[in-house]
Amino acid sequence: FLLLVATCCTAFTHPSFKTNHNRGFLIVGSQHDHTMPLSTLQMAGFGGGGSTKKGGKNKKKTKKDTPIVLKPKQQWDRYANLKAATGFKVAVRVVDGDDGNEWLETGKVKSENDESTEMAVALQRGIIAEHSKRLYPLKVLPKDRVEWGFSTSPTPEQEDWILVTKDAANDAPTGAEKSIGFEGKPDPASG
């Protein structure tokens, strides 16, 4: 392969070779005047060579449009670092579930100075939902829609849970994810 490349490079840089770009042919200037077509490579695919305008409008994404992606290990470490904060129990329930909307305790959340527990649940709702699917695989199925809640009671009953909506995270200041944390209940299957 390397020999072929070296031979080709030498052949095209030799002064006796000329290229006629108008016709796409390589003209060899030697005692035998030959005209041979240049090989062309035509490729098709999905490489994004098309138009950049779609829909007629170019919307610039702002920082608020991009959702915050939280990592479970990182939030668990932040939970452990919030030593002075109180851990509030969090739970999920399946929307339109067969269990009569039973709250399933999933873990605890903390927020700095215990000021924004509702925002902590709303920002970490993805982690909480994923953990609930691991804890309760027969009750919370992968395609199920869930609601989130927290309780201030140490031993909450079904009526003690406070419902949290996604909108609670709308007014979260930049960097709010650094002042909250989540600790999931231990998974009985993995210990």
Side-chain angles (χ1 to χ4, degrees):
F1 176 73
L2 292 175
L3 181 61
L4 177 63
V5 171
T7 307
C8 290
C9 292
T10 307
F12 287 116
T13 58
H14 193 274
S16 66
F17 288 82
K18 299 176 186 173
T19 305
N20 185 339
H21 295 289
N22 293 337
R23 290 186 283 155
F25 287 91
L26 176 69
I27 301 173
V28 181
S30 67
Q31 61 183 347
H32 303 288
D33 199 16
H34 297 283
T35 304
M36 51 189 192
L38 284 174
S39 64
T40 59
L41 180 62
Q42 296 179 347
M43 298 176 70
F46 301 101
S51 173
T52 58
K53 286 188 176 181
K54 291 190 179 194
K57 294 182 181 178
N58 286 337
K59 283 183 125 180
K60 186 176 179 181
K61 282 194 172 188
T62 62
K63 198 137 180 116
K64 284 288 186 185
D65 292 345
T66 310
I68 300 170
V69 179
L70 301 176
K71 298 178 180 130
K73 171 70 168 103
Q74 193 174 43
Q75 292 309 109
W76 184 73
D77 288 341
R78 289 176 178 159
Y79 180 91
N81 290 336
L82 292 167
K83 296 184 186 325
T86 306
F88 293 101
K89 293 186 177 189
V90 293
V92 298
R93 68 178 174 191
V94 177
V95 177
D96 301 326
D98 296 335
D99 293 335
N101 289 336
E102 175 190 4
W103 286 102
L104 304 168
E105 188 180 329
T106 306
K108 295 180 181 179
V109 294
K110 284 184 180 180
S111 63
E112 201 169 281
N113 300 326
D114 298 334
E115 293 175 349
S116 46
T117 304
E118 190 173 2
M119 181 189 67
V121 174
L123 284 174
Q124 300 176 108
R125 66 186 182 271
I127 298 171
I128 295 168
E130 286 301 315
H131 191 65
S132 69
K133 291 173 187 176
R134 282 192 299 276
L135 283 176
Y136 309 104
L138 299 176
K139 293 183 178 184
V140 184
L141 302 175
K143 298 281 184 178
D144 284 346
R145 290 183 335 129
V146 296
E147 293 177 325
W148 303 266
F150 73 96
S151 177
T152 56
S153 171
T155 55
E157 297 294 324
Q158 288 298 311
E159 62 275 356
D160 293 336
W161 297 102
I162 301 165
L163 181 67
V164 176
T165 63
K166 295 177 188 180
D167 299 336
N170 287 351
D171 297 328
T174 305
E177 70 277 2
K178 295 176 183 171
S179 63
I180 59 174
F182 171 71
E183 176 185 58
K185 275 180 65 175
D187 183 1
S190 63

